[in-house]
Amino acid sequence: MRQGNTGWRPNGAPLPRPGLPTDLSSWHCSVSQPEGTMPAFIHLFAVCLLLSLPLFSVAQIDTLLQLPTVEISETSVRSQVTGGRTRNWDRADLRAFAHTNLAEWLGQQSGLYIKSYGSGSIATTSIRGGSAAHTSVLWNGLPIPSPMLGQLDFSLFPLGFIDRAQLTYGGNSAAWGSGAIGGVLSLSNEMPGDSTAGLDLRSTLGSFGFQDYQLSGYYRQGRLGFQTRLFYRSADNDFRYRIRPDLAEQVRTHAALQQSGILQSAYWKPDARQQLSIHVWAQQSDREIPPTTVQNQSLATQADRFIRTALHWKRIGPQMIWQARLGLFREIIDYRDEQIRLQALTGFWTTQAEVSGSRAWNGNHHLQFGITHNWVTARADAYARPPEQNRTAPFLVYRYHLGDWTLQFNLREEIVDGKLQPLVPGLGLEGPVSRHLRFRAKVSRNYRLPTLNDLYWQPGGNPDLLPESGWSQEAGLEWRAVTGAHSWSLGITAFNRHIDNWILWSRPDGQSFWSSNNITKVWSRGLEYRAEWGWRSSDWQLQLSTAYDYIRSTNEIGITSPKLERGEQLIYVPEHQAFGQARLQWRQLQLQYRHTYTGPVGSLNVGQLSGYDLGSTGLTYHLEKSNWGSRLYLQINNLWNVPYRVIERQPMPGRHFQLGLQLYFRRPTGSQVHQPIP
Amino acid sequence: MRQFFICLLGSISLSFVSAQTTATFESFGLAPDNFLDGGDNSGGFSDGNVFLPNSYNFDYGSWSGWAISSMTDTLTAGYTNQFSAITGGGYDDSDTYAVTFASPFSNLILTEGAAGGTVEGLYVTNNTYAYLSMLNGDSFAKKFGGETGDDPDFFLLTIKKYLNGTLSTDSIDFYLADYRFEDNSQDYIVKEWTYLDLTALGDADSLQFSLTSSDVGQYGPNTPAYLCLDQITTLDVATPVKDYLTDVAVRIFPNPTAEQVTVHWPQHQTGNALLLDAQGQIIKREQLFSGDNQIGMQELPAGPYRIRIQSEDGFLTRQIIKQ
């Protein structure tokens, strides 16, 4: 017998399971300062301005700045963003953070707002004021968010399992379909191109019982290449915290986690024009769900199991480049709570297939066209029967170069179970205004399809839901220059986005249960500021970077259930965010300090959560020889031991440490350099 | 003067019959650890002179309104234990009691001789799910007192009445949990059957129960809005016996009905028929003439309704189920 529908509540249960004992728990520090005591937002903004001032006093400007991160050079026209803001990271950038998960790394390195329930707990993003389901995540070109929830738990993604990352801010549904409204995070794998064989070992220990062990090996012979990655991670997360300085210290309980996974990749070049790659990723995660600060205990656990397979074929012909992708994803979530005698087993299958062709004319015209097909099915007790969904989407990309200017037009039409969805166009333009100043602008229509839970969950699923959709615009200027040993960059971007038919779970008058409905509109707009300064000499390198985001994302229709005022900022979307980083390198030694400010956010139950400043620092010693190398690293997070909350009623750890050692061995290729296969 | 009032009260009481009826719910004959959630499509539960509406959704396998329970589990937290009272049984060691989810509210309808009369009182206690949620917190709701133990939390039961389709402004308020005391040692959550005297509400057609909690978020109250009732005592004193219509001559059929109901009115003088919904609100008012009178119900949603027949001679009330 199921519960009375009136007893059901829509704001979903959190998740996790058992961990292993560790030996560094004494490294933790308790948190006792009152919240929100540092006015560092003002300080940081002042630093942003100070960093900007020298830009306008540079006397001699020679060449364009070489970015510290490497641009992804995919041949797919669709993967290239024209008119939008992107940021790229390559293997070298990611390697230093391989012991972290995607959520921790993005929070530290990108300045993105990460909505984390705590160390190792569920984590999602909000980009440009969008919801968690408005970030599209691609793995080797295939979207991997859950079709049941429309989002991905970033804490389950080990950073050591990716080689390249590209973050595109803003909507890009015309290229990547449903969900690409706030941003697109593209993660991909490729073999190292500088050696024929290698072995990489890494071990990291940290506060609160954190342990991370990774092993990666690869081998290439002729046209074949193989790479295997393994990881094991566990943590007790039993940190201490105080509700108030005058109250007794408490210990976070029932928050242990244990994760392990394998990623097997194989590459084959049957001839000079063709390449084939396959990636199989299997992972398991067991987490305990900790109690909230207003809950005496929790016995809830969550086990996540998944296997993801991605196949990519590419043929470079004399005139056309053909590509095909095939993905097969299987995921299971087993949520249990002995305390309330609940076991909820849910899971889904996804298969995705994509074929595309592209060609160029005169070097100025590029065209890519293709079609994707996506089939999903899912199981949950709350579904009357396992729902199935078929999505087919033809797409088109046209790119035109006129001198240094680039114009790109995207078009996509998705058909879901025979129903036409909004026709989604996108138009981007970018090019140099002057020698050092580039302009870019983009306008696009974007959408998100209702999730399977929105459509079929009982009670409350609504099969008649419309997709969320709307238009977004953005424009930006980027100024870059190098003067001798100095490099400078400054960028500012403004964006605007309206999304109609925003889906919320609500309880209309006269209805005794919550149901999903297209009941509101959301207007998001904001400014993004970035500045960087770099200096290098023979032994020294110094880099300073700052960022500031102003985001207003407001509900545009007043609603009584849930209670939302017109013009009210969406919960868990900070209006102000700032980020500053200083990196100093002397020969093999690197010292890094990062500081983030996150403004106050609204919450579901307790009103506004205070804003907070967080500092973190890292020290790395990197020794590199011809065929081996080592890296010793120490990371201190929450350096100033600030008490803060990202989510209401969820404490966060105070100052904590991670210490790690990486050893790697390479067999160089000699003169023959292998081209990475994207 | 005082003697005059005593005489007056005495003469008034002589013209009425002070019959008491108590709904104990034992007549459902539930074995221990069972419940009735309306899955038999009964539309509600009648006992004594009260009717407890229930709506069961067969698509979702879920219910709203009222349930009848003999559950004894006082330990299991969460909605899987939504039918239990924290007392582990009914009032005075009885087996059976009523459970409702009163968010935003639920109604109890007075029937037979109690319709339009006074409810003398009833016993209330917390549901186990709600009790443990307030005591310990859960994934959605806070433990009362909050992080520091000092939050002035409360869980308040408000009882109002409907009479002739009008909801009263007066109410009987009772705190099922109260953490508003300066001295935290006085904070409490009710875990015994507690008697509420409802005579101050006066005559009523139905009672409305609503629960409000201090733990409210964007999605409304977080505290599970469950309530358990037992021993509902009604007084059949509101109507002089000589004036009370009997249903021997008045016939109301068919019941249940899908389209319309016929009221056979045997008297020569006209009467009135009021159709009321489960909340006691008047939906239709028809004049009755001698013979058969039809009242259309095609446009109404399925569920329990009441027809109140009244004339100069008195009134009677009957429940009608719309299919």
Side-chain angles (χ1 to χ4, degrees), chain A residues 23 34 61 145 297 327 333 401 414 432 543 552 607 614 619 650:
Chain A
D23 54 1
I61 299 166
Q297 71 162 355
I333 296 177
H401 296 286
E414 184 150 11
Q543 186 188 16
R552 281 286 289 165
L614 292 180
L619 184 65
Q650 299 286 347

Side-chain angles (χ1 to χ4, degrees), chain A residues 1-7 9-14 243-244 247 250 292-297 335 337 339-342 458-461 504-505 507 512-514 562-564 568 571 603-605 645 649, chain B residues 35 37 56-57 59-65 73 75-80 82-83 101 103-104 129 133 135-143 146-148 150 215-224 226:
Chain A
M1 178 58 64
R2 244 195 336 250
Q3 63 168 108
N5 58 25
T6 47
R9 291 132 106 206
N11 40 344
I243 298 295
R244 269 196 336 234
L247 296 178
Q250 299 183 48
T292 68
T293 54
V294 289
Q295 188 181 6
N296 284 341
Q297 71 162 355
Y335 179 85
D337 190 342
Q339 201 164 231
I340 61 172
R341 296 180 184 171
L342 173 70
Q458 292 195 350
L504 285 177
W505 282 74
R507 191 161 74 172
S512 61
F513 53 87
W514 296 82
K563 194 174 184 310
L564 287 173
E568 183 180 341
I571 63 169
S603 69
L604 208 55
N605 294 297
R645 301 267 173 96
R649 299 171 176 173
Chain B
F35 58 84
D37 62 358
Y56 193 86
N57 187 319
D59 290 334
Y60 300 153
S62 59
W63 63 279
S64 60
D73 188 343
L75 300 175
T76 304
Y79 63 79
T80 55
Q82 62 177 324
F83 295 104
F101 185 86
S103 177
Y129 173 22
S133 172
L135 185 69
N136 299 320
D138 60 33
S139 305
F140 304 100
K142 65 187 289 193
K143 63 179 177 186
E147 293 179 336
T148 62
D150 296 332
D215 182 11
V216 180
Q218 213 172 52
Y219 280 86
N222 293 316
T223 308
Y226 288 83

Side-chain angles (χ1 to χ4, degrees), chain A residues 392-613:
Chain A
T392 305
F395 63 89
L396 178 77
V397 188
Y398 170 69
R399 205 162 196 232
Y400 176 62
H401 296 286
L402 180 62
D404 293 329
W405 283 81
T406 304
L407 179 75
Q408 183 167 322
F409 175 70
N410 289 50
L411 191 67
R412 183 185 178 97
E413 172 66 73
E414 184 150 11
I415 301 138
V416 180
D417 291 332
K419 292 181 185 172
L420 283 176
Q421 302 302 310
L423 182 66
V424 184
L427 185 65
L429 173 72
E430 68 178 54
V433 176
S434 67
R435 188 178 174 194
H436 301 288
L437 189 65
R438 285 181 70 83
F439 170 80
R440 52 182 167 72
K442 188 177 168 188
V443 58
S444 61
R445 191 177 190 191
N446 302 289
Y447 71 107
R448 180 179 80 88
L449 295 169
T451 65
L452 294 181
N453 284 1
D454 290 334
L455 293 168
Y456 303 114
W457 191 271
Q458 292 195 350
N462 181 357
D464 298 323
L465 281 176
L466 299 171
E468 298 175 345
S469 68
W471 289 86
S472 65
Q473 306 84 28
E474 69 174 279
L477 287 169
E478 283 184 52
W479 184 91
R480 297 181 177 190
V482 173
T483 61
H486 299 268
S487 60
W488 306 89
S489 78
L490 174 65
I492 189 158
T493 305
F495 70 90
N496 183 61
R497 183 180 68 230
H498 288 271
I499 297 293
D500 295 336
N501 294 320
W502 191 280
I503 297 169
L504 285 177
W505 282 74
S506 60
R507 191 161 74 172
D509 288 343
Q511 186 172 294
S512 61
F513 53 87
W514 296 82
S515 59
S516 57
N517 296 286
N518 296 104
I519 54 172
T520 190
K521 299 178 179 181
V522 172
W523 177 24
S524 306
R525 63 279 195 195
L527 285 171
E528 296 163 341
Y529 161 92
R530 300 288 182 275
E532 280 189 3
W533 170 72
W535 169 82
R536 67 167 61 199
S537 71
S538 56
D539 286 339
W540 292 87
Q541 282 186 52
L542 177 62
Q543 186 188 16
L544 301 176
S545 54
T546 60
Y548 167 69
D549 291 346
Y550 169 75
I551 297 172
R552 281 286 289 165
S553 192
T554 53
N555 179 64
E556 294 302 300
I557 296 177
I559 307 167
T560 55
S561 177
K563 194 174 184 310
L564 287 173
E565 302 290 339
R566 185 173 185 272
E568 183 180 341
Q569 179 88 348
L570 299 190
I571 63 169
Y572 295 117
V573 176
E575 201 167 319
H576 304 280
Q577 264 194 290
F579 171 82
Q581 177 173 280
R583 189 163 57 186
L584 177 66
Q585 186 164 335
W586 178 69
R587 294 180 180 170
Q588 286 86 26
L589 199 62
Q590 186 186 85
L591 178 65
Q592 194 165 210
Y593 176 75
R594 288 179 295 278
H595 197 98
T596 60
Y597 168 78
T598 305
V601 294
S603 69
L604 208 55
N605 294 297
V606 300
Q608 199 168 65
L609 299 180
S610 302
Y612 53 86
D613 287 275

Side-chain angles (χ1 to χ4, degrees), chain A residues 210-360:
Chain A
F210 177 84
Q211 303 177 61
D212 178 82
Y213 305 100
Q214 299 192 28
L215 171 65
S216 172
Y218 60 91
Y219 176 76
R220 184 166 54 241
Q221 178 68 48
R223 299 179 182 277
L224 280 172
F226 301 94
Q227 183 165 23
T228 304
R229 305 173 216 225
L230 298 158
F231 92 103
Y232 171 84
R233 184 173 298 161
S234 68
D236 294 333
N237 291 319
D238 52 349
F239 57 86
R240 295 176 183 274
Y241 66 97
R242 289 181 196 271
I243 298 295
R244 269 196 336 234
D246 59 317
L247 296 178
E249 201 171 58
Q250 299 183 48
V251 178
R252 179 78 149 170
T253 58
H254 198 67
L257 67 86
Q258 181 183 324
Q259 296 177 344
S260 57
I262 179 170
L263 172 59
Q264 177 63 55
S265 302
Y267 305 87
W268 180 43
K269 277 189 163 183
D271 55 48
R273 292 184 175 277
Q274 292 189 85
Q275 50 198 30
L276 188 68
S277 62
I278 183 167
H279 308 278
V280 182
W281 175 11
Q283 186 168 310
Q284 64 174 29
S285 163
D286 295 291
R287 287 183 287 194
E288 293 174 335
I289 310 288
T292 68
T293 54
V294 289
Q295 188 181 6
N296 284 341
Q297 71 162 355
S298 168
L299 298 178
T301 59
Q302 178 169 315
D304 291 81
R305 306 280 184 270
F306 65 75
I307 181 162
R308 296 174 177 147
T309 304
L311 188 67
H312 180 209
W313 169 79
K314 184 174 180 180
R315 184 179 189 280
I316 303 172
Q319 293 184 325
M320 294 283 294
I321 298 175
W322 291 100
Q323 293 192 77
R325 294 181 194 273
L326 184 66
L328 181 62
F329 304 154
R330 169 68 170 147
E331 295 197 30
I332 295 172
I333 296 177
D334 185 355
Y335 179 85
R336 299 181 189 207
D337 190 342
E338 291 175 26
Q339 201 164 231
I340 61 172
R341 296 180 184 171
L342 173 70
Q343 180 180 7
L345 190 64
T346 59
F348 66 85
W349 276 101
T350 300
T351 59
Q352 303 180 62
E354 178 184 308
V355 180
S356 69
S358 57
R359 68 168 297 173

